[in-house]
Amino acid sequence: MFLIPIYKKGCSSTNIVCKCPAGEGTGLAVSVQVDGQDLANPTSKSYKYASATLTLLDRTSASQAGGGPLVITGTNFGTSQSKVTVNVAANPCVITSFAQGSITCTLPSGTGVSQVNVVVAGQAAANTLTFTYSSPQISLLSPDNGPTAGGVV
């Protein structure tokens, strides 16, 4: 629950216009006080902050070993890093830097094509972004031939 000072501009006997503080979450209780007194009949309405929206990854692929930073740009990441989780596929991407419009995390190991998911205060982002783990590649084969009978080369 949060208490917000009401500004007389925008108020009438049936409507209250107020400015909400920065925050995150859903199902937040609304409380109204007039001259220090609580509203006689509390409302059953709740308030919900907008879901996060992911707009860009600084890179869209990496080796299966993971490691290194992954920077996620977007909106509505909230005000508290402790309320934000990031996963690539089902693997946690540990947050190392956090701001309202940017999250940096350490890329976990993984395979194949994966989705980057952000959850803010229990509320999943409105979208996901795609990340691809590169398949291992053989760069050198030595020797590159052997006897037809097989065996160790």
Side-chain angles (χ1 to χ4, degrees), residues 133-150:
Y133 287 97
S134 304
S135 298
Q137 296 182 4
I138 298 171
S139 59
L140 177 66
L141 178 62
S142 178
D144 61 358
N145 63 63
T148 58

Side-chain angles (χ1 to χ4, degrees), residues 2 4 10 21 23 40 62 98 110 146:
F2 52 98
I4 306 161
F98 172 83

Side-chain angles (χ1 to χ4, degrees), residues 3-75:
L3 186 62
I4 306 161
I6 303 296
Y7 302 100
K8 294 210 181 228
K9 180 181 179 185
C11 294
S12 71
S13 63
T14 58
N15 293 312
I16 299 173
V17 177
C18 59
K19 181 179 178 181
C20 293
E24 60 276 310
T26 113
L28 302 169
V30 176
S31 175
V32 177
Q33 285 186 351
V34 178
D35 293 329
Q37 294 183 8
D38 288 328
L39 183 64
N41 298 318
T43 179
S44 61
K45 304 292 183 195
S46 62
Y47 185 78
K48 172 184 172 184
Y49 283 95
S51 299
T53 301
L54 313 182
T55 55
L56 181 69
L57 298 175
D58 72 326
R59 59 183 174 151
T60 57
S61 66
S63 73
Q64 292 180 345
L70 176 65
V71 180
I72 306 161
T73 305
T75 59

